[in-house]
Amino acid sequence: MSNPTRARVTMNDVADMAGVSKASVSRFIGEDRQLLSEAIARRIEHAIDTLGYRPNQMARGLKRGRTRLIGMLVADIRNPYSIAVMHGVETACRKHGYSLVVCNTDRDDEQERLHLAALRSYNIEGLIVNTLGHHLDELRELHTELPMVLVDRKVDQLQSDLVGLNNIAAVEQAMDHLYQSGYRDILMVTEPQDGTSSRIERVDAFKAGVAHRSGMRGQVRETGDNLRDHLRDFLADSGHGHKALFTGNGVATLSSTRQLHELGCHLFDDIGLIALDELDWYPLVGSGITSLAQPTHDIGVTAFECLLERLRGDQEPVKTYDFPAQLIVRGSTRPRS
Amino acid sequence: MSNPTRARVTMNDVADMAGVSKASVSRFIGEDRQLLSEAIARRIEHAIDTLGYRPNQMARGLKRGRTRLIGMLVADIRNPYSIAVMHGVETACRKHGYSLVVCNTDRDDEQERLHLAALRSYNIEGLIVNTLGHHLDELRELHTELPMVLVDRKVDQLQSDLVGLNNIAAVEQAMDHLYQSGYRDILMVTEPQDGTSSRIERVDAFKAGVAHRSGMRGQVRETGDNLRDHLRDFLADSGHGHKALFTGNGVATLSSTRQLHELGCHLFDDIGLIALDELDWYPLVGSGITSLAQPTHDIGVTAFECLLERLRGDQEPVKTYDFPAQLIVRGSTRPRS
DNA sequence: CTGTTAGCGCGTTCAT
DNA sequence: ATGAACGCGCTAACAG
């Protein structure tokens, strides 16, 4: 009964049953329905209903060159940021009748290559990229065939639209808030930069922000095996004013908070914290984690709409969409004096 | 330069350049490479490389009926459980040369219908379902064409393989642990059941577990606007032994913990907590949240492999894969006496 | 308004 | 071992 060998009902079947030509059926399911006479349209509709006919998008795409498929390349699908953006993309896709093929590379360059080949073979109409783009040649070649949009991270030498956070402004917001709350000794924790443009921008902005604020001291550390030692050292080294951590993304926040916790740190009396990216559990940790929330949903929606513009023939020069972050104040940056 | 109008290089181009017929090229990219002479194979390979030819999966699928596409219907893509399972599915897909089309319904029945139609139109070879399956007719019809596997939640009247947690055993583990740790007054918090089989099973198992443990009291409450009041009442109503919460999934844990936090509860001295599902922030909240972790990755992998079996012709009766949960003890269930 | 014809890119007989 | 011809399901061009 559930044997997947039953032949699919095709346009021919519908045409036969309705006693019309395939062309008429094609017109019925396409944009040209108004060209059909009332009588024929009804017969076709009836045949479609009784047969349960559904057009085959593959065949359709083969002929028209439009598959209604969008690809998304994600570096780390378990990162809540990626998920949130993807949710936005998916919503927008749905709204415009597109489906989304998600490819997770798990930060593996070889997987990226394989996925790119696969996506290409499926004739996707556009591609949303949230990876390091280490296969420049393939990407550029693909870009000659279809529009692409970068999310969060730039890819060098790939001239493509970009949508993401205004990192400079966001970091400035964070610095302002820390400064005004009385923190003077800041340790920024970032994931290894590794060529990721957004991380680099944030670290650079952090250094610049420290430089032009009098009495502020700033250092940068990376997540990894040594993080705990770095944090311990930072906590021990007093005499530079109230201390705070500035974590560059959700992953950095998680590992930093875990390490602080394991170090027996009282969250957040001993040390302040402001995080880039908002996660749903921030209110629950200690007195709550202050964060700069990214408009992830809008970022995803914009990425898709950007693609859609290009698909509709937009030939304008490469655009960049910089979204602002929203400060959410919680206990982890309570004012000090 | 990045104008998406450049014609794709096709099998014909390769054949022309290599001076052979399309059939030979087809043999080269297919399974019949050993039928080709060394000389011709080399010429074809060279042509493919210089032209950058990639076979068109759409056309291929159209002809052979194998698109190498798997669909996954997810009720809530922002639920970490779904993501974790999806990650497992994706890994398995990749390993076997399949690509994954993910469809998020946002718990909306109408979206489920639309997605089902879309997936079908793309000739996916199999479907993984993690939704309520409220469109039984469409699902059953689809099931006549392709294999399906249910994840986490059963769908009534849909005879299909199922992979998920052994809910009975998992809840028993939780109850045992609570009992042995000295808790006697338990409030289970679940998302509205709403026909979700896994939630129903967990609640039923909870009630049964309370019933056959002497001196234990158990109540069930749902997440929602009243949760806070329920929790306050529960906290106030003493005299039944040490209190603990048992949350039925990640979402329930998050909302319960938030409410406790806002009620000014000291986590977790005033009340114990054990959670079904493991999330990465559990160690950070209060003294840490004890949990029962699901083998989400394995569940995803198994779901795909199950599909693959069916695709390869497995005709055996419907199977059910019940995975065990793993208890992770943290401070939220510290022993009481 | 409607049907006929010719492919889209590819796999698969059949010949040779 | 290789090529010619046909068709997968559908759309687009042209006739009528």
Side-chain angles (χ1 to χ4, degrees):
Chain A
M1 42 170 31
S2 72
N3 192 339
T5 38
R6 210 198 65 161
R8 280 268 305 253
V9 27
T10 154
M11 179 182 267
N12 252 321
D13 303 333
V14 178
D16 285 353
M17 177 167 183
V20 299
S21 75
K22 289 192 302 178
S24 295
V25 181
S26 173
R27 285 175 187 124
F28 184 85
I29 64 177
E31 317 293 313
D32 303 326
R33 194 174 313 186
Q34 74 282 359
L35 294 182
L36 295 176
S37 72
E38 185 66 20
I40 275 205
R42 249 207 307 273
R43 266 153 58 202
I44 295 179
E45 182 160 27
H46 179 253
I48 288 183
D49 285 350
T50 57
L51 260 35
Y53 167 73
R54 301 282 167 236
N56 182 334
Q57 277 289 359
M58 304 283 99
R60 243 179 160 177
L62 190 57
K63 183 67 189 167
R64 301 206 305 181
R66 297 185 57 190
T67 55
R68 295 290 188 174
L69 239 34
I70 290 290
M72 182 168 181
L73 210 54
V74 179
D76 178 8
I77 207 183
R78 285 177 291 193
N79 184 329
Y81 170 84
S82 302
I83 293 301
V85 172
M86 179 175 146
H87 184 253
V89 171
E90 219 257 353
T91 307
C93 276
R94 225 159 39 193
K95 183 174 157 193
H96 294 277
Y98 280 78
S99 289
L100 184 65
V101 182
V102 180
C103 292
N104 172 43
T105 67
D106 269 339
R107 301 172 181 166
D108 182 85
D109 285 345
E110 176 59 11
Q111 297 300 346
E112 178 176 318
R113 211 180 52 72
L114 289 174
H115 278 313
L116 279 173
L119 286 172
R120 191 171 168 212
S121 77
Y122 286 114
N123 285 12
I124 56 166
E125 291 183 36
L127 182 62
I128 296 174
V129 178
N130 178 33
T131 65
L132 290 177
H134 276 173
H135 290 277
L136 235 195
D137 41 350
E138 317 236 5
L139 276 173
R140 299 183 76 161
E141 192 179 341
L142 204 53
H143 198 5
T144 64
E145 299 178 359
L146 48 80
M148 293 182 19
V149 51
L150 268 23
V151 168
D152 183 66
R153 26 184 101 175
K154 270 179 209 132
V155 173
D156 269 350
Q157 301 173 26
L158 191 68
Q159 232 180 318
S160 173
D161 294 334
L162 171 69
V163 29
L165 190 71
N166 185 334
N167 290 303
I168 317 272
V171 171
E172 267 300 307
Q173 269 180 279
M175 304 299 284
D176 266 346
H177 178 65
L178 287 175
Y179 197 86
Q180 285 168 20
S181 306
Y183 298 91
R184 289 295 179 273
D185 190 11
I186 319 295
L187 183 74
M188 173 166 188
V189 178
T190 177
E191 283 195 277
Q193 299 191 329
D194 198 22
T196 309
S197 68
S198 50
R199 292 179 194 157
I200 296 172
E201 285 181 17
R202 289 171 194 179
V203 168
D204 289 350
F206 172 72
K207 288 175 178 165
V210 169
H212 74 73
R213 282 180 176 79
S214 64
M216 206 170 213
R217 185 174 82 140
Q219 306 167 66
V220 179
R221 295 288 181 271
E222 291 186 351
T223 56
D225 294 341
N226 298 324
L227 180 58
R228 188 183 197 136
D229 297 331
H230 293 320
L231 291 178
R232 195 200 326 257
D233 294 347
F234 180 62
L235 287 165
D237 180 23
S238 60
H240 298 271
H242 290 297
K243 294 181 200 310
L245 249 44
F246 173 35
T247 49
N249 69 8
V251 174
T253 308
L254 180 61
S255 28
S256 300
T257 316
R258 278 178 104 134
Q259 297 304 337
L260 287 179
H261 190 261
E262 290 180 19
L263 285 170
C265 207
H266 198 284
L267 305 177
F268 292 92
D269 291 335
D270 306 342
I271 187 171
L273 170 62
I274 187 167
L276 208 39
D277 275 357
E278 160 78 358
L279 298 183
D280 48 20
W281 49 270
Y282 283 178
L284 295 176
V285 177
S287 50
I289 299 177
T290 295
S291 74
L292 284 154
Q294 296 198 47
T296 45
H297 190 267
D298 291 347
I299 289 177
V301 170
T302 304
F304 176 81
E305 286 177 347
C306 186
L307 227 44
L308 204 55
E309 288 295 303
R310 298 293 183 184
L311 283 172
R312 288 178 176 163
D314 179 3
Q315 297 283 357
E316 287 181 37
V318 169
K319 277 171 276 193
T320 297
Y321 297 84
D322 274 333
F323 281 87
Q326 185 200 345
L327 179 67
I328 302 176
V329 179
R330 300 200 176 92
S332 71
T333 52
R334 73 131 207 269
R336 316 274 176 151
S337 53
Chain B
M1 49 189 353
S2 73
N3 192 339
T5 39
R6 210 198 66 160
R8 279 270 304 256
V9 27
T10 154
M11 179 182 267
N12 253 322
D13 303 332
V14 178
D16 286 353
M17 176 166 184
V20 299
S21 74
K22 291 190 301 177
S24 296
V25 180
S26 172
R27 286 175 188 123
F28 183 86
I29 62 177
E31 316 294 314
D32 303 325
R33 194 174 313 186
Q34 73 282 1
L35 293 183
L36 295 177
S37 72
E38 185 66 18
I40 273 205
R42 251 206 306 273
R43 267 154 57 201
I44 294 179
E45 183 160 27
H46 178 253
I48 288 182
D49 285 349
T50 56
L51 259 36
Y53 167 73
R54 301 282 165 234
N56 183 333
Q57 278 289 356
M58 303 282 101
R60 238 175 165 183
L62 190 57
K63 186 65 188 171
R64 299 207 306 182
R66 296 186 58 191
T67 54
R68 295 288 187 176
L69 239 33
I70 291 290
M72 181 167 181
L73 211 52
V74 179
D76 179 8
I77 208 182
R78 286 176 289 193
N79 184 330
Y81 170 84
S82 302
I83 294 300
V85 172
M86 181 175 145
H87 184 253
V89 172
E90 219 257 355
T91 307
C93 277
R94 227 160 36 193
K95 182 174 158 193
H96 295 276
Y98 280 78
S99 290
L100 184 66
V101 182
V102 179
C103 293
N104 173 41
T105 67
D106 269 338
R107 301 173 180 166
D108 182 81
D109 286 346
E110 176 59 9
Q111 298 299 346
E112 177 176 317
R113 210 179 54 72
L114 290 174
H115 278 313
L116 278 173
L119 286 172
R120 191 172 168 209
S121 77
Y122 286 114
N123 285 10
I124 56 167
E125 292 183 36
L127 181 61
I128 296 174
V129 179
N130 178 32
T131 65
L132 290 177
H134 277 172
H135 290 278
L136 235 194
D137 41 351
E138 317 236 3
L139 277 173
R140 300 182 76 160
E141 194 179 341
L142 204 53
H143 197 5
T144 64
E145 297 179 0
L146 47 81
M148 293 183 17
V149 51
L150 268 22
V151 167
D152 184 68
R153 28 185 99 175
K154 270 180 207 126
V155 173
D156 270 349
Q157 301 174 26
L158 191 67
Q159 232 179 318
S160 172
D161 295 333
L162 171 68
V163 29
L165 189 71
N166 185 334
N167 290 303
I168 317 272
V171 171
E172 267 301 306
Q173 269 180 280
M175 304 298 284
D176 266 346
H177 178 66
L178 287 175
Y179 197 85
Q180 284 167 22
S181 306
Y183 297 91
R184 290 294 178 274
D185 191 11
I186 319 296
L187 184 74
M188 174 166 188
V189 179
T190 176
E191 284 194 276
Q193 300 192 328
D194 199 24
T196 308
S197 68
S198 50
R199 290 179 195 159
I200 295 172
E201 284 180 17
R202 289 171 194 179
V203 169
D204 288 350
F206 172 73
K207 288 176 179 166
V210 169
H212 74 72
R213 281 179 178 79
S214 64
M216 206 171 214
R217 186 175 81 142
Q219 305 167 68
V220 179
R221 295 288 180 271
E222 292 186 350
T223 56
D225 294 340
N226 298 324
L227 179 58
R228 187 181 198 139
D229 297 332
H230 293 321
L231 291 179
R232 194 200 329 256
D233 293 347
F234 180 62
L235 286 165
D237 180 23
S238 58
H240 298 272
H242 290 296
K243 293 181 202 306
L245 249 44
F246 172 35
T247 49
N249 69 7
V251 174
T253 309
L254 180 62
S255 28
S256 299
T257 317
R258 279 180 103 134
Q259 297 304 337
L260 286 179
H261 190 262
E262 289 179 19
L263 285 170
C265 207
H266 198 284
L267 305 175
F268 292 91
D269 291 336
D270 305 344
I271 186 172
L273 171 62
I274 186 166
L276 207 40
D277 275 357
E278 161 77 0
L279 298 183
D280 48 19
W281 50 269
Y282 283 178
L284 295 176
V285 177
S287 49
I289 298 177
T290 295
S291 75
L292 284 155
Q294 296 198 48
T296 45
H297 190 267
D298 291 347
I299 289 177
V301 170
T302 303
F304 176 81
E305 286 177 345
C306 187
L307 227 44
L308 205 56
E309 289 294 303
R310 297 293 183 185
L311 283 172
R312 287 177 177 163
D314 179 4
Q315 296 283 357
E316 288 180 37
V318 169
K319 279 171 275 194
T320 298
Y321 298 84
D322 273 333
F323 282 86
Q326 186 200 345
L327 178 67
I328 302 176
V329 179
R330 300 199 178 91
S332 71
T333 52
R334 74 134 208 269
R336 317 274 177 150
S337 53

